[in-house]
Amino acid sequence: MTPSRPETTRVRVVIVNFRTGQHVVACLRSLVPEVASLAGQGIGVEVVVVDNSSGDDSVAVVGGAIVREGWAGWAQVVAAPLNGGFSYGNNYAVRPALASTRPPDYFWILNPDTEVRPGALRELLAFLRLRPDAGIAGSSFEIATGELWPHAFRFPSIRSEIASALRLGFVGRLLQRHVVMMTMGDQPARVDWIPGASMLVRREVFEQAGLMDEGYFLYFEETDFCRAAAREGWQCWYVPASRVMHIAGQSTGVTTPGAAPRRRPAYWFESRRRYWIKQHGWAYAAATDLAWMTCFAVWQIRRIVQQ
């Protein structure tokens, strides 16, 4: 795909795959019109699919589709030597690009179980160009049925843990401004953090805040990354004009819509503990655990008493 004029902006899209090869192909197909449209505006888009040692036919499936569909001019698949988690997979594509002689201006972190709606990347780019103080911009989401999932997040705290575990109306209202999940409107809004399923990041954010922490296998890594960016003075924004369909849970099965809830895996709890200790210290982490367990026990007792 040849741009109609010389590139003035470069974007590297990073998709980390683990046993979701067919979903990646659908995601790449949804990117075709976006890549073509932006090329006509002098914006070069390259896509790197990192296979996190899936151990199945994902590399062949994705690689075959890239050749068959004629996407080789802007898309490639690379095989990582191990499944080091979400941060590891993203860093596998971000790190060499940053070290290159001509690094991209932006990195779009995109989940493999997504399909981008028309203009999704264009809207994120336009927003960051208008807001030089914004370093990270995220999309609004819809689930596979087309239903809107309009949420972004605050940084978690001991107060948010109390509200989520106690589940008591008046307490929830008192702590409303500390609850992690926020329901968003139809206008851009500054938030603490956004899901890593669609996150456009300025190159300078990675250069100043560092890469994603590979100590997280899965979960809390984007929260940690947005916090690191905030410490360097970069703002994080929710941009609803950018829309992405996200199936969710295809690699882990933990959050698959319509399926029975699954027990959270050990790495979720390990990531949670790493986040609390790294951001707030051992004492705060212990106090948070104690507060959550106490409030959860109170909620369980209230359930039994009230039948």
Side-chain angles (χ1 to χ4, degrees), residues 166-230:
L166 194 56
R167 307 184 193 188
L168 197 57
F170 77 92
V171 175
R173 288 189 292 273
L174 287 173
L175 299 176
Q176 183 61 42
R177 65 188 183 92
H178 300 284
V179 172
V180 172
M181 180 180 283
M182 300 183 292
T183 299
M184 309 302 293
D186 59 1
Q187 295 298 315
R190 186 178 175 183
V191 297
D192 285 344
W193 65 277
I194 53 174
S198 174
M199 173 189 287
L200 186 67
V201 184
R202 290 185 192 273
R203 180 186 71 239
E204 292 85 355
V205 174
F206 280 115
E207 291 173 342
Q208 295 173 22
L211 298 176
M212 288 186 169
D213 184 350
E214 296 181 17
Y216 297 96
F217 181 76
L218 195 59
Y219 298 106
F220 289 89
E221 61 279 283
E222 66 263 77
T223 317
D224 180 276
F225 179 70
C226 289
R227 192 147 207 159

Side-chain angles (χ1 to χ4, degrees), residues 18-69:
F18 183 73
R19 300 179 181 176
T20 57
Q22 294 295 344
H23 286 295
V24 172
V25 173
C27 179
L28 292 175
R29 186 169 288 113
S30 74
L31 282 166
V32 171
E34 197 81 345
V35 172
S37 173
L38 291 172
Q41 301 172 40
I43 300 172
V45 179
E46 61 170 350
V47 181
V48 179
V49 178
V50 178
D51 183 74
N52 253 4
S53 191
S54 292
D56 62 3
D57 61 351
S58 287
V59 173
V61 167
V62 177
I66 289 173
V67 173
R68 185 173 61 253
E69 300 290 341

Side-chain angles (χ1 to χ4, degrees), residues 156-167 175 180 220 263-264 268-269 272-273 276 283-301:
S157 66
I158 193 169
R159 292 174 179 174
S160 67
E161 293 292 285
I162 290 171
S164 67
L166 194 56
R167 307 184 193 188
L175 299 176
V180 172
F220 289 89
R263 185 180 181 86
R264 285 171 174 166
W268 186 92
F269 294 96
R272 177 184 181 276
R273 173 158 286 273
W276 290 123
Y284 191 96
T288 300
D289 286 344
L290 180 61
W292 190 92
M293 288 186 291
T294 301
C295 292
F296 186 75
V298 170
W299 176 66
Q300 292 283 41
I301 292 170

Side-chain angles (χ1 to χ4, degrees), residues 224-241:
D224 180 276
F225 179 70
C226 289
R227 192 147 207 159
R231 280 196 294 268
E232 297 297 329
W234 293 106
Q235 297 178 4
C236 180
W237 282 76
Y238 170 83
V239 183

